[in-house]
Amino acid sequence: ARVIYNSSKNFSNRRMVGSSVNSKIRILSLARLADQKDFATLSKALKISTNSSICVDNYGGGDVEEYKRKYGSDKLRFLGESERLDKIICNYNYGILISNYEGMPISLLEMLSAGLRLIATDVGGVAEIITSDVDGQLIPKHDVHELAKTFNSLTKKSDIKSKNNEYKWNELFSPQTYNSKLLNYAKD
């Protein structure tokens, strides 16, 4: 099987506008509110995590009020859709996608290009983007305890942008790479 690479916008030229609010470790989630995304596992892991500095902000369409009611907390906020990803993405140092299934997730590619350290479920094409302990953390599907363990390991000291992740995006997923991969697929 071959993974079809999606190109995505490069956010590497975006710089942080402000620092983490109230000394929180801010984690960006770009996920629509649908059954495909595993907010149940995310919510449970945040509840059992002993790291009180974490705050996950989810931007995505869907029934925001229902998801706030079911999964929302002081550690998990549902903020609805935003047209200004370029303004939002620069205010985070971590990106997360906890999902039941994926193809090649554009949201992770965008977060990778901005240098965010990644935390994601090991489903579909996610392992094409993340090498665990190198570019981020791969979490087994529905593994609440492993995700909580990852949250517990996050510190303000590691709250920095990853130049390696920006470089990896340029090497693997830039529009130029996408075009050359597409041509190679066509030759096969």
Side-chain angles (χ1 to χ4, degrees):
R2 288 190 179 260
V3 174
I4 303 298
Y5 291 89
N6 295 313
S7 63
S8 67
K9 190 171 180 178
N10 184 349
F11 291 99
S12 65
N13 62 346
R14 301 295 174 196
R15 296 295 163 234
M16 195 168 242
V17 174
S19 61
S20 296
V21 177
N22 298 327
S23 70
K24 291 283 186 189
I25 298 170
R26 298 185 69 213
I27 302 171
L28 176 63
S29 171
L30 301 172
R32 69 183 184 283
L33 307 179
D35 290 340
Q36 174 188 3
K37 309 307 180 194
D38 189 3
F39 289 106
T41 296
L42 177 57
S43 176
K44 288 174 189 172
L46 286 167
K47 283 179 184 165
I48 66 170
S49 170
T50 58
N51 190 340
S52 61
S53 298
I54 291 176
C55 181
V56 177
D57 290 339
N58 184 80
Y59 292 90
D63 191 343
V64 174
E65 293 307 315
E66 178 187 350
Y67 276 73
K68 280 181 183 178
R69 183 182 53 74
K70 283 174 77 172
Y71 307 112
S73 69
D74 61 333
K75 290 185 177 181
L76 179 55
R77 302 183 322 163
F78 293 94
L79 304 172
E81 290 185 274
S82 175
E83 296 294 321
R84 298 306 314 243
L85 182 57
D86 58 331
K87 300 288 184 199
I88 294 167
I89 203 165
C90 58
N91 291 310
Y92 296 87
N93 292 98
Y94 296 91
I96 192 165
L97 181 64
I98 304 303
S99 186
N100 292 311
Y101 57 91
E102 289 294 331
M104 179 62 67
I106 296 292
S107 64
L108 286 182
L109 297 180
E110 291 166 338
M111 290 186 271
L112 186 74
S113 79
L116 273 62
R117 295 175 182 275
L118 303 177
I119 304 165
T121 311
D122 189 4
V123 294
V126 172
E128 296 283 329
I129 301 169
I130 299 174
T131 302
S132 212
D133 297 323
V134 175
D135 318 298
Q137 289 301 124
L138 283 174
I139 306 298
K141 187 175 177 179
H142 303 302
D143 195 333
V144 172
H145 295 287
E146 188 63 29
L147 183 54
K149 184 175 146 186
T150 297
F151 288 145
N152 291 342
S153 73
L154 300 181
T155 65
K156 291 297 287 181
K157 279 171 63 174
S158 62
D159 189 18
I160 57 172
K161 298 284 184 176
S162 169
K163 285 292 179 192
N164 288 340
N165 284 6
E166 285 183 34
Y167 176 76
K168 182 173 183 174
W169 181 88
N170 283 317
E171 288 295 308
L172 297 175
F173 303 109
S174 69
Q176 295 80 14
T177 303
Y178 171 77
N179 289 337
S180 69
K181 286 187 183 295
L182 194 60
L183 288 173
N184 286 337
Y185 290 148
K187 288 178 188 174
D188 288 348

